[in-house]
Amino acid sequence: MCGRIAVTLPTDAMAQMFAALPANNLPKVPNFNVCPTTAVHVISTQNEQRHLSAMRWGFLPQWYASLSGGPLLINARAETIAQKPAFRDACRMRRCLVPVAGYYEWTKDAEGKRLPWYIQAGDGATLALAGVWQDWGPEHERVRSAAVVTTAANASLASVHHRMPVIIAQKDWGLWLGEEGKGAATLMQAATEDALQFHRVATTVNSNRASGADLVTPLAT
């Protein structure tokens, strides 16, 4: 599961990092509380050019009659993505990267209260999450949407959540984006045990209206 993310890298730096052409309608950064159904930064390759663009976080299968015409598909399971009708074409032809500073997961205490955790790269670098995308709707109302690919969590993260996003290393960006032939399926696996670090944060982030860098500050113990 990956249901909330933080994006802090400036747009220009993001475009330079991925050698991508930036669109003009990108979401404002930093944003420490990016929620499903809102726009996220996405890297895709089209016509041999990488693009940095905004996409709706919440994949829209072609058969949805409206934006809320079915379940909200913010994640796609790596184990079944190639077989699921909603994702199988996108998995073959429309893979993307979702650059993030980190993401949130939740555990529960004995009373059922949701306790948030912030998860980021061990070295604090930007993470490139594996994703898939597609266009939905008539041409004059076209919506470009995306989902983050997830897999079973590694042993260290399993204490927080049993799923984690697939993270694509820089050397594999071209392969995942379809620039280097076949073999992208081999990338859909959990990150190594030391790749990520995580810490508890305040329950402020439980609200999708919360904002600010304090959301990722480690909770005092």
Side-chain angles (χ1 to χ4, degrees):
M1 181 68 176
C2 178
R4 209 83 68 81
I5 60 178
V7 179
T8 61
L9 194 65
T11 297
D12 291 346
M14 198 181 302
Q16 183 176 6
M17 179 178 179
F18 291 91
L21 185 67
N24 294 323
N25 64 337
L26 293 168
K28 293 182 179 180
V29 287
N31 186 344
F32 292 88
N33 193 10
V34 182
C35 302
T37 74
T38 62
V40 292
H41 294 77
V42 173
I43 305 291
S44 60
T45 298
Q46 302 165 56
N47 300 319
E48 301 183 351
Q49 169 67 57
R50 288 184 187 177
H51 295 266
L52 171 59
S53 57
M55 297 190 189
R56 177 188 188 267
W57 187 12
F59 193 92
L60 295 166
Q62 296 293 349
W63 59 83
Y64 277 20
S66 68
L67 294 177
S68 57
L72 180 59
L73 304 176
I74 61 172
N75 296 151
R77 293 175 68 92
E79 298 88 344
T80 58
I81 191 172
Q83 290 80 43
K84 290 288 186 180
F87 299 118
R88 61 190 177 199
D89 287 344
C91 181
R92 289 196 300 269
M93 299 180 291
R94 294 183 298 277
R95 296 186 298 273
C96 61
L97 298 169
V98 181
V100 304
Y103 68 101
Y104 301 90
E105 288 292 4
W106 281 261
T107 55
K108 290 184 179 180
D109 63 14
E111 288 74 42
K113 184 178 180 180
R114 298 176 74 234
L115 308 176
W117 297 75
Y118 183 64
I119 304 165
Q120 61 185 333
D123 59 2
T126 294
L127 297 171
L129 309 186
V132 290
W133 69 274
Q134 77 172 15
D135 288 331
W136 173 88
E139 187 171 351
H140 65 286
E141 298 177 352
R142 189 66 50 87
V143 176
R144 186 157 286 182
S145 64
V148 172
V149 180
T150 67
T151 190
N154 60 32
S156 60
L157 277 174
S159 61
V160 176
H161 199 277
H162 68 285
R163 304 289 296 177
M164 67 180 295
V166 172
I167 298 167
I168 306 298
Q170 184 171 0
K171 65 181 179 60
D172 296 320
W173 289 351
L175 180 59
W176 181 256
L177 291 172
E179 302 167 355
E180 300 174 5
K182 298 181 179 180
T186 63
L187 304 177
M188 291 191 289
Q189 53 188 305
T192 58
E193 297 295 320
D194 60 350
L196 300 174
Q197 60 178 321
F198 51 94
H199 58 261
R200 274 286 317 281
V201 294
T203 55
T204 309
V205 76
N206 289 1
S207 168
N208 59 13
R209 298 179 181 177
S211 62
D214 288 349
L215 296 181
V216 301
T217 300
L219 190 65
T221 57

